[in-house]
Amino acid sequence: MKRLPVKTALLLILILIFNALPISASAEAAQKLIALTFDDGPGKYTQELLDGLRERGVRVSFFVLGQNVKSYPETVRRAWEEGHQICCHTYHHYELTRLSDDDIRRELELTDAAIDEALGHDFDYWLRPPYGSHNKHVLSLTGVPCFYWSVDTRDWESLNSDAAYKEFMRAAKDGSIVLMHDIHKTTIPAALRAIDTLMADGYEFVTVSELLSRRGIEAEPGKIYFSAYPEERGTEPALIAPTISYERTPEGKKVVIEGDERAKIYYTTDGQLPEPGNCEEYEQPFYIDEDTEVKAVCVRSWNGGRSDVVSETVEFSRLGAMTLSIRDGRLVIGGLGGESRVREFGIALIAACVAGLGGAVFGVSRTVRRKKVASRK
Ligand code: NI
């Protein structure tokens, strides 16, 4: 075999080290954020939109109408399960500035109740007043952060995919809150096309909750937000999904979950998607004594502030396959009920075995030869 020249070998080592480094440079570059929002749904095209968003790993915010939630509860539930933020756009789409205080409260309460029922949870639902129409008094009655937009794609007016896409591309920039409507067929391809183009240009799509968090803005009830441009505050990195690892110990399989320090970790051990009421908050490693599917998620807010859910099947086996290896001149027997019980034997043991086996073989062969000699006689 031809030996590698020293320079080539060094170069190969450098390449290997470089490849093993985390790709932090590209992660830092992807700090341009857009919060894409969909009003007036859910509708019959929302599922198609959700398919496209899931394919792209993109999260958005849905400002839903209470009356439509009643017609499409599974769609709202799916959107929430897939990490989108569910927000309120009132029940009937009335202009809030023209309603009495009681009627405003009624619009919000009816919608909240409809979403709670669809999700099976009682979250806060941030508000976009219909037509964007608001004043100080209306905002003060809402009790939640409110949202306007900085980019109106006018998809509702043009009903033309190309036109909506072009308007999106013309106006959107880092920190934009973009307005679209998932009740129009033409909106779905326009939205997905804009997402593809902008993601290729380094943009990341986030919920309104994550947009504010990552721009260091604390969402305040009764305040209205139009955008969250970067300015001097900079941009926090995205929530990182947790990692699940495990090791064998005398007590059983020990499961360790590590996650983002800015969030809490929740997990399930029955294969269910972690959600309030069915999961545990992770505080310390735990042990399993049977095969277990562990699912974990980092949560800053259950509605619009979650990482991806990760899943790991941890196999419990009391006796793993026995392994033999030589480490630092010692014979190591592994796999007998866990690393902590690994027994190490000195090299003398191998020598003794080899010597004994060698002696036995030598003895046998001499006996055979003698017998052969004897039989010739
Ligand atoms: Ni609307």
Side-chain angles (χ1 to χ4, degrees), residues 39-41 63 65 89-90 93 128-132 149 179-181 183:
D39 283 14
D40 299 355
F63 288 86
L65 284 181
H89 195 44
T90 76
H93 209 272
R128 176 172 283 147
Y131 314 100
W149 55 84
L179 173 65
M180 294 190 107
H181 300 79
I183 49 165

Side-chain angles (χ1 to χ4, degrees), residues 18-30:
F18 183 75
N19 280 331
L21 290 174
I23 40 169
S24 55
S26 62
E28 268 165 32

Side-chain angles (χ1 to χ4, degrees), residues 11-124:
L11 188 66
L12 276 175
I13 290 168
L14 278 176
I15 290 171
L16 281 173
I17 292 172
F18 183 75
N19 280 331
L21 290 174
I23 40 169
S24 55
S26 62
E28 268 165 32
Q31 298 286 284
K32 292 187 285 184
L33 310 178
I34 288 180
L36 177 51
T37 65
F38 293 92
D39 283 14
D40 299 355
K44 54 183 170 178
Y45 309 114
T46 309
Q47 292 276 0
E48 187 191 332
L49 173 64
L50 288 172
D51 291 344
L53 297 173
R54 185 167 60 187
E55 250 170 58
R56 292 160 176 80
V58 160
R59 291 191 180 141
V60 302
S61 306
F62 289 97
F63 288 86
V64 296
L65 284 181
Q67 57 183 353
N68 291 349
V69 174
K70 287 279 185 194
S71 309
Y72 298 94
E74 328 73 39
T75 308
V76 181
R77 168 77 197 178
R78 177 186 165 190
W80 177 79
E81 279 181 6
E82 294 181 358
H84 304 293
Q85 184 167 352
I86 310 300
C87 305
C88 171
H89 195 44
T90 76
Y91 200 89
H92 297 101
H93 209 272
Y94 297 145
E95 205 173 340
L96 295 182
T97 47
R98 293 169 180 268
L99 297 187
S100 70
D101 290 5
D102 280 350
D103 284 345
I104 292 173
R105 289 197 194 96
R106 202 176 122 77
E107 279 292 310
L108 304 183
E109 281 164 15
L110 278 176
T111 312
D112 282 12
I115 307 174
D116 282 350
E117 198 186 333
L119 299 187
H121 295 297
D122 179 10
F123 297 134
D124 274 350

